[in-house]
Amino acid sequence: MPNTGMSATVVAGVDESEAALAAVRWAAEEALRTGRRLLLFHAGIFDTADLARHEHTKNSPVLLERAHRWIRRAVRVAEATAPGVPVEYVVRVGLAPDLLVGLSAEAGLLVLGSHGIGGLRGVTIGSVALRVAATARCPVVVARGRVKPDGPVVAGVDGDDRVLEFAFEAARSRHVPLVAVHAWQAPRTGELHAAEPREEQALRERVEHVAGRYGDVFVKSRLIRDRSAAHALMSVDDAQLVVIGSRGRGPVAAGLFGSTGNRLLAQSACPVAIVH
C-alpha cells in the first residue's frame, strides 16, 4: 500500500540551476523506489534584501511568474524520470533555507542540489547545504557527483543507530550491499596490535546490533586507519550514496559541524545523506 501523509513525502528543493534538476531526478527516483509522493519546493525570494522589499507583495504574479515557470520545468523533469509518481509543487515567498527547514518537520526526506537552494547570491555550497542539512528535522540528501546504480551504500558508523538504519533501508530498496565504515586513528604507542582487534570487534557489534533486522542486505564492516573520516568514507570504490549523522560521537560524527561534513558535501563523488 502506498505511503500517505507528509512523513511519506520526498521534498526536493528547486532553484534555477541544473544542480537542482539533478536533485529533482534523484528525488523522483527515490520516491518511485520507496512508494512515496514527491513535493517540489521553490522559494520566490532569494535573499534578505529582496524579502524586505517585497514583504507586502507575497501574492504578486509578477514576482512569482519566473518561479512558476522554473518549477513547472522541474515537474516535467520529475514526471519523465519517474512516471506514475504523484508530483506536487509549492512556490512560496521567503528565504529558501528557512522554509525548507520548516517543511522538514513533516517530510520524510529532503533532497537538495549541490550548489545550494534558493539562489542565495554569493553563498557557497558549504554554507547553504550545511545550514539546511545541519538544522533540518528529517534526513537530508545532497545530490551531487556521479550516478552508480549498482554501487554499494556506504555508512559512517558513529554510534547512532539511525545512521545505520537509514543506510540499511537505502541498500535494501536498491538491492545493493552496505559497507559500514569506521575511521580509526591508531594509538601512537606500541598498543596497535592490541587496540586494532578491539576496534574491529566494537565495529562488528555496532553493525550487528542493527543488521539483524535486515537479513536480506549483505553488509561488510571496514575499519579504516585514517585521520580523515571523510577520506575514509570516500575511499570506498563506486559508492552510490554515503550516509553520515548530523551529530554523534567519533570521527565521523564530527560531521556537519566540522571538516567531515564540509569535505563530503564539497568533494564526494556521489550523493551524501545526513541523518537526524
Side-chain angles (χ1 to χ4, degrees):
M1 178 180 297
N3 292 319
T4 58
M6 274 296 289
S7 63
T9 300
V10 178
V11 177
V14 179
D15 64 9
E16 299 181 17
S17 70
E18 292 301 319
L21 295 182
V24 168
R25 293 185 186 96
W26 197 98
E29 290 173 351
E30 181 71 7
L32 179 63
R33 184 166 39 240
T34 58
R36 292 184 281 187
R37 70 187 184 105
L38 177 62
L39 177 65
L40 306 181
F41 172 84
H42 183 90
I45 296 297
F46 306 132
D47 61 25
T48 304
D50 285 343
L51 185 60
R53 285 196 299 270
H54 297 294
E55 62 182 349
H56 299 302
T57 60
K58 293 186 177 181
N59 295 317
S60 168
V62 174
L63 180 65
L64 297 178
E65 180 181 357
R66 182 172 176 177
H68 279 282
R69 282 202 309 269
W70 187 264
I71 205 162
R72 283 196 292 269
R73 179 185 177 190
V75 169
R76 292 193 295 271
V77 168
E79 291 175 341
T81 301
V85 168
V87 181
E88 301 177 21
Y89 69 86
V90 172
V91 175
R92 292 184 183 171
V93 175
L95 293 173
D98 295 340
L99 294 172
L100 281 166
V101 170
L103 282 175
S104 73
E106 297 181 349
L109 181 67
L110 179 60
V111 184
L112 312 178
S114 60
H115 297 309
I117 292 299
L120 289 169
R121 293 193 286 271
V123 182
T124 66
I125 176 178
S127 58
V128 173
L130 191 60
R131 177 181 172 188
V132 177
T135 57
R137 302 177 191 177
C138 71
V140 176
V141 170
V142 177
R144 56 168 294 110
R146 65 198 175 200
V147 177
K148 292 283 186 179
D150 297 325
V153 172
V154 178
V157 180
D158 65 359
D160 187 344
D161 284 352
R162 293 173 299 177
V163 173
L164 279 171
E165 289 166 358
F166 184 98
F168 268 109
E169 291 286 355
R172 171 185 278 175
S173 69
R174 289 163 173 77
H175 307 289
V176 298
L178 170 64
V179 181
V181 173
H182 180 66
W184 176 59
Q185 296 185 39
R188 297 181 180 179
T189 65
E191 300 176 357
L192 175 61
H193 293 300
E196 190 164 8
R198 290 198 300 268
E199 290 288 337
E200 291 176 341
Q201 178 64 26
L203 174 58
R204 284 195 298 270
E205 290 176 355
R206 286 195 293 269
V207 173
E208 290 170 359
H209 177 68
V210 178
R213 287 170 275 166
Y214 301 92
D216 54 338
V217 176
F218 176 78
V219 57
K220 180 179 181 180
S221 299
R222 288 185 58 181
L223 181 68
I224 299 178
R225 292 175 57 189
D226 199 318
R227 291 181 178 273
S228 168
H231 184 267
L233 290 165
M234 290 189 291
S235 71
V236 180
D237 293 335
D238 295 328
Q240 67 168 286
L241 180 67
V242 173
V243 185
I244 62 173
S246 60
R247 301 170 186 262
R249 301 181 296 275
V252 171
L256 299 181
F257 300 101
S259 61
T260 298
N262 282 323
R263 185 172 177 184
L264 283 170
L265 291 180
Q267 299 179 12
S268 175
C270 69
V272 179
I274 303 94
V275 179
H276 294 264

